Amino acid sequence: MQSVKKAIALTGAAVMMLSMAACGSSSTAGSDKEVSFQTWNLKNDTYTPYFESLIKEFEKDNPGVTVKWIDQPADGYSDKINADAAAGTLPDVVDMSPNGAYSLAKAGVIANLSKDDPKGADQFTDSSWGAVTFKGDDLEEGAYAYPWYLNSGVQYYNTAVLQQCGVTDVPTTMDDFFTAASTIGKNCPGTNMVAAVPTLESLGQYGSQLMNEDQTEFTFNDEKGVELVQHYIDMYKEKSLSADALNNQWTGEGDAFKEGNVASLSGSAYSVSDFEENAPKVYENLAIVERLIGEGGKQNVAMETLVVSNTAKNKDLAMKFARFVTNKKNQTEFCTKSHTFPSVKGAIDDPAFSPTGDSMQDKAVALAAKAVKDDNWFASPSPFSENAKTALREQIALAIQGEQTAKEALDKVVKIANEDMK
């Protein structure tokens, strides 16, 4: 999703269109009880039968209602949403990330569910609802999206690489992780502990306070944030951090792990089958632990959401459909198909998300599900722009190469992130 600043630039056009859209949005065509529902790259052999059945059930339970399903390709999805929002033709119910929802909330084009559907919160876990509750300058506090599916992960290790370089115990804490990295650098210079640099999510997991309580300023240039970046500076000096990670275009950490060149990888809980099929040697030496967090930190979980357009002709019906898509029964079925985790109360207790088998895949899913089951996780702050995300990687890379300190790097990114919120 484009930055908040770009989305707000659309506000003037969106406001102009709101009065026109009051006579009807994209949902006005067709029946008087039509709800338009837009997903993101989900019309395929895997999901089409699910959504067709889901829509048929909703229409049966709500006589006279027609749900118009629209599926957009992944390429240009954010641009399409922004264009629709500016034109007042946003579909009634739209699949998007919390970052996208925040941008549209700032532009005033999606429903504040805390006002329009105050009982909606009852359906979801506290962490999920909290992740879609926005506040800040020029934004009315409230939840602006229905939580949908979650992505949670684990930490993988190649024990063959660890043992080859003198690390006998699999690290389960951040302190153990950096100690092991030093050992690898000392005994096997050029063998990499990791092939990625810190992200906003990893700063949060380490214990940095990413934003202030008012959600008006980013604050990850604090003591914990600086401490984590310094660890990566040290790893680079000790030759246990891949130089490839400093390339802003680098996305090959997963492949490097599968090739046996990297000792650890933070990845999806459902990557085990990929390792088994495409990296059998790594699979033979695979160890899995919970995602590593620092003192005071929580595990990061990614989320997809559904928002409701303020221009929906049948707004109450659109909210009813969004609640239906995200209810316990339907989330459980969808998340089972998509290898994700549910945000709705009680669904995480389904056996599909709490496997008890001895397989590596079952172990990974059970470990990844723990934070969701405990309802003790955080989502990346939605106001963090793509521009700031790029700057974070660039500035940390410069710090790792010795061109600035860790504090200077994070200070610069905090300034950019805060400016992008204005």
Side-chain angles (χ1 to χ4, degrees):
M1 175 62 65
Q2 295 180 350
S3 72
V4 172
K5 186 179 292 184
K6 292 180 180 178
I8 294 176
L10 297 172
T11 305
V15 169
M16 289 177 63
M17 294 301 297
L18 281 176
S19 59
M20 298 172 59
C23 298
S25 70
S26 59
S27 67
T28 59
S31 76
D32 289 338
K33 291 186 177 180
E34 181 177 276
V35 174
S36 52
F37 169 49
Q38 179 172 291
T39 54
W40 177 5
N41 200 32
L42 290 175
K43 187 169 282 190
N44 51 47
D45 292 343
T46 300
Y47 302 115
T48 294
Y50 166 80
F51 283 109
E52 288 179 343
S53 176
L54 181 111
I55 290 168
K56 184 177 180 180
E57 181 181 350
F58 185 79
E59 291 175 341
K60 180 180 178 182
D61 292 342
N62 297 271
V65 174
T66 300
V67 177
K68 179 183 178 183
W69 179 27
I70 308 161
D71 189 71
Q72 296 288 353
D75 291 344
Y77 187 73
S78 296
D79 292 337
K80 178 70 168 60
I81 289 176
N82 282 341
D84 286 344
T89 57
L90 194 70
D92 299 334
V93 180
V94 184
D95 165 18
M96 64 173 54
S97 70
N99 300 76
Y102 179 84
S103 295
L104 295 189
K106 289 280 281 190
V109 297
I110 58 173
N112 181 343
L113 303 175
S114 295
K115 290 178 60 179
D116 295 340
D117 186 17
K119 293 184 179 180
D122 297 341
Q123 183 164 301
F124 303 96
T125 64
D126 291 341
S127 293
S128 297
W129 196 250
V132 296
T133 298
F134 308 144
K135 57 183 176 179
D137 294 334
D138 303 318
L139 178 61
E140 180 181 43
E141 182 174 353
Y144 284 85
Y146 292 100
W148 196 9
Y149 57 91
L150 311 174
N151 278 298
S152 178
V154 294
Q155 192 76 21
Y156 294 105
Y157 290 101
N158 185 335
T159 58
V161 175
L162 293 178
Q163 292 170 5
Q164 175 187 338
C165 297
V167 178
T168 56
D169 297 323
V170 172
T172 57
T173 68
M174 294 298 292
D175 287 344
D176 291 343
F177 179 86
F178 292 121
T179 297
S182 295
T183 300
I184 289 173
K186 178 181 178 180
N187 295 336
C188 304
T191 297
N192 301 310
M193 181 61 164
V194 66
V197 297
T199 62
L200 186 69
E201 293 79 11
S202 57
L203 289 169
Q205 288 183 156
Y206 192 69
S208 172
Q209 181 177 336
L210 302 182
M211 294 192 79
N212 63 8
E213 293 297 328
D214 293 334
Q215 294 184 20
T216 56
E217 290 185 348
F218 284 94
T219 57
F220 53 84
N221 56 340
D222 58 9
E223 181 180 354
K224 281 296 182 181
V226 172
E227 185 178 306
L228 180 62
V229 175
Q230 186 61 50
H231 277 303
Y232 278 76
I233 294 172
D234 294 342
M235 281 198 294
Y236 188 69
K237 291 178 180 178
E238 294 166 350
K239 300 188 183 304
S240 60
L241 170 65
S242 171
D244 288 328
L246 306 186
N247 182 342
N248 199 42
Q249 304 301 315
W250 167 252
T251 58
E253 54 264 32
D255 290 336
F257 183 76
K258 287 192 287 186
E259 290 165 3
N261 300 325
V262 178
S264 68
L265 175 72
S266 179
S268 165
Y270 290 94
S271 295
V272 174
S273 59
D274 181 32
F275 299 144
E276 185 175 14
E277 180 178 354
N278 299 309
K281 290 185 179 179
V282 172
Y283 177 76
E284 290 174 4
N285 296 285
L286 194 65
I288 310 171
V289 301
E290 285 186 59
R291 184 70 58 82
L292 302 182
I293 60 175
E295 182 180 352
K298 296 181 180 180
Q299 181 170 321
N300 170 251
V301 171
M303 175 194 287
E304 193 72 5
T305 72
L306 297 179
V307 303
V308 174
S309 171
N310 270 332
T311 62
K313 180 180 179 181
N314 300 298
K315 193 171 181 181
D316 288 343
L317 195 56
M319 291 187 292
K320 183 177 183 180
F321 178 71
R323 288 195 306 271
F324 176 74
V325 175
T326 57
N327 70 23
K328 182 178 178 180
K329 171 182 172 292
N330 292 324
Q331 272 210 46
T332 299
E333 184 178 353
F334 180 78
C335 292
T336 301
K337 290 179 180 295
S338 59
H339 291 163
T340 54
F341 298 95
S343 61
V344 68
K345 289 179 180 177
I348 194 66
D349 296 324
D350 188 274
F353 312 114
S354 303
T356 57
D358 295 329
S359 71
M360 296 292 281
Q361 184 63 83
D362 284 350
K363 181 179 181 180
V365 172
L367 288 173
K370 187 176 183 302
V372 179
K373 184 173 290 189
D374 293 343
D375 196 18
N376 186 34
W377 54 270
F378 77 96
S380 179
S382 297
F384 197 63
S385 67
E386 286 297 320
N387 180 47
K389 182 178 179 180
T390 299
L392 180 64
R393 189 163 181 173
E394 291 174 346
Q395 295 303 321
I396 286 179
L398 291 173
I400 288 172
Q401 295 173 85
E403 296 187 27
Q404 60 187 350
T405 66
K407 185 67 164 63
E408 288 170 341
L410 294 185
D411 284 347
K412 290 178 181 178
V413 184
V414 163
K415 182 179 179 181
I416 291 170
N418 287 334
E419 288 175 349
D420 282 353
M421 283 199 297
K422 297 177 182 179

